[in-house]
């Protein structure tokens, strides 16, 4: 396994490989990440992974400094998976003095996570753009859990004519339905038990939709009612949106819907979604 910290060394080592499947991460790896790496390796022959907690996608009041980090454990997991290339840059390597460019998708800040976290997606798009330029992967793999991130990355790649194919894999869940996330490690045992309410709310809307309810308001109301059952949960938003534009739907149409929510359990902010076909 090649563990590399500089862009120059990464480019040199990468040149020895042909097709590369790339999984960008912020580390503190879980089964969701590992399943993306297995898919990358299976489909491209070689897997590359980056571990970089990207400061530009965190607002000043967010959890950049306390975001969970355990590089030793991550590297052990990557070695077990047989990942060939690991890129672990310092902040100064990615954003050296004088760095002054940003990739901005203004529409992303108008809806869902973008509306709740202004500038977050500019930080994501900028770092993913840099990583794709450095790694030059054949395919890059993202989890459906960060639904808006996948929409933003796909649009950036399309708009900027980047040659990498973007692959989105299903969300990996715990036995009770909680979507795997590095941030789950912040939850106390009581909060962890309460956090299963997110998936219960999503599946309630999914079932209602399957039974014929097409009105966005009816589906959003169903999610809010389930969330109200859990005293530790403080919903930030519930959404039934068009899967491409991410605009709220009055009525679910032929494109289906992205049903999503953001909920605080204690101080921990959790997000999840289900993508529903028409
Ligand atoms: O999903 C994440 O972990 C991050 O947003 C990503 C894609 C690695 C960019 O920092």
């Amino acid at each position: 396994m090649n563990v590399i910290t500089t862009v120059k060394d990464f480019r040199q080592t990468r040149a020895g490989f042909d097709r590369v499947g790339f999984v960008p991460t912020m580390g503190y790896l879980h089964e969701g990440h590992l399943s993306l790496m297995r898919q990358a390796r299976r489909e491209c022959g070689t897997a590359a992974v980056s571990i970089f907690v990207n400061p530009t996608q965190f607002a000043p009041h967010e959890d950049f400094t306390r975001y969970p980090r355990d590089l030793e454990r991550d590297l052990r997991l990557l070695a077990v998976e047989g990942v060939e290339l690991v890129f672990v840059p310092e902040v100064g390597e990615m954003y050296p003095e004088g760095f002054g460019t940003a990739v901005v998708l203004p529409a992303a800040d108008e809806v869902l996570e973008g509306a709740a976290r202004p500038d977050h997606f500019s930080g994501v798009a900028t770092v993913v753009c840099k990583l794709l330029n450095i790694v030059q992967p054949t395919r890059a793999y993202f989890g459906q859990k960060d639904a808006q991130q996948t929409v933003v990355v796909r649009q950036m790649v399309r708009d900027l004519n980047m040659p990498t194919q973007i692959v989105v894999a299903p969300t990996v869940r715990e036995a009770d339905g909680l979507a795997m996330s590095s941030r789950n490690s912040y939850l106390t045992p009581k909060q962890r038990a309460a956090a299963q309410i997110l998936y219960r709310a999503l599946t309630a809307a999914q079932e209602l939709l399957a039974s014929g309810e097409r009105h966005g308001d009816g589906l959003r109301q169903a999610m809010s009612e389930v969330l109200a059952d859990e005293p530790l949960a403080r919903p930030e938003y519930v959404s039934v949106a068009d899967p491409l534009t991410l605009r709220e739907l009055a009525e679910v149409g032929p494109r289906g819907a992205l049903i999503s929510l953001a909920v605080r359990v204690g101080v921990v902010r959790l997000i999840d979604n289900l993508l529903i076909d028409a």
Side-chain angles (χ1 to χ4, degrees):
M1 186 165 80
N2 299 282
V3 181
I4 305 163
T5 57
T6 67
V7 175
K8 184 168 169 274
D9 289 350
F10 192 92
R11 284 196 199 283
Q12 250 168 28
T13 313
R14 181 349 176 175
F17 296 86
D18 181 19
R19 286 166 56 82
V20 168
F22 173 49
V23 183
T25 83
M26 299 207 296
Y28 215 71
L29 303 175
H30 52 68
E31 185 53 33
H33 297 115
L34 301 182
S35 68
L36 294 178
M37 291 163 203
R38 286 176 209 131
Q39 188 178 351
R41 209 146 176 264
R42 210 167 47 239
E43 293 181 357
C44 300
T46 298
V49 170
S50 62
I51 298 178
F52 179 62
V53 185
N54 172 38
T56 68
Q57 67 188 74
F58 292 80
H61 65 277
E62 291 183 341
D63 54 346
F64 172 68
T65 46
R66 66 184 188 98
Y67 192 84
R69 294 162 169 89
D70 189 342
L71 185 58
E72 267 182 35
R73 175 180 159 276
D74 286 348
L75 292 179
R76 277 199 304 274
L77 291 170
L78 294 177
V80 171
E81 293 302 328
V83 168
E84 284 83 356
L85 295 165
V86 186
F87 184 46
V88 194
E90 295 288 339
V91 172
E93 181 70 8
M94 291 297 277
Y95 301 112
E97 223 182 294
F99 181 86
T101 301
V103 179
V104 182
L105 296 87
D109 282 356
E110 289 169 16
V111 293
L112 300 176
E113 284 302 283
R117 304 178 68 190
D119 299 331
H120 168 70
F121 285 114
S122 173
V124 170
T126 303
V127 80
V128 172
C129 182
K130 284 173 66 70
L131 289 168
L132 294 182
N133 284 335
I134 295 162
V135 177
Q136 304 269 310
T138 316
R139 294 181 178 180
Y141 295 79
F142 295 84
Q144 172 61 30
K145 177 178 165 280
D146 294 303
Q148 191 172 5
Q149 173 167 280
T150 69
V151 172
V152 163
V153 169
R154 279 198 158 122
Q155 168 145 25
M156 174 188 74
V157 163
R158 193 170 56 239
D159 289 352
L160 301 184
N161 306 99
M162 301 174 87
T164 299
Q165 186 187 342
I166 303 302
V167 180
V168 177
T171 302
V172 178
R173 299 183 179 283
E174 304 284 358
D176 65 357
L178 178 66
M180 288 198 185
S181 163
S182 307
R183 288 191 169 100
N184 293 351
S185 65
Y186 297 147
L187 297 166
T188 65
K190 248 182 150 174
Q191 292 168 343
R192 168 63 192 82
Q196 60 173 290
I197 200 73
L198 276 82
Y199 188 60
R200 277 186 36 213
L202 290 172
T203 49
Q206 182 183 35
E207 282 162 22
L208 200 58
L209 186 55
S211 74
E213 173 66 272
R214 316 297 291 175
H215 292 107
D217 280 344
L219 298 165
R220 285 183 282 268
Q221 174 70 24
M223 285 194 278
S224 297
E225 280 170 15
V226 174
L227 292 171
D229 278 351
E230 176 47 71
L232 293 184
R234 281 180 297 127
E236 275 196 4
Y237 64 77
V238 293
S239 163
V240 178
D242 179 276
L244 298 181
T245 66
L246 305 185
R247 299 272 164 200
E248 290 304 313
L249 288 173
E251 188 97 2
V252 177
R255 290 215 289 242
L258 177 74
I259 298 182
S260 68
L261 38 66
V263 177
R264 279 196 193 269
V265 178
V267 291
V268 189
R269 188 173 182 279
L270 300 172
I271 59 169
D272 199 356
N273 70 84
L274 291 176
L275 193 54
I276 316 277
D277 287 339

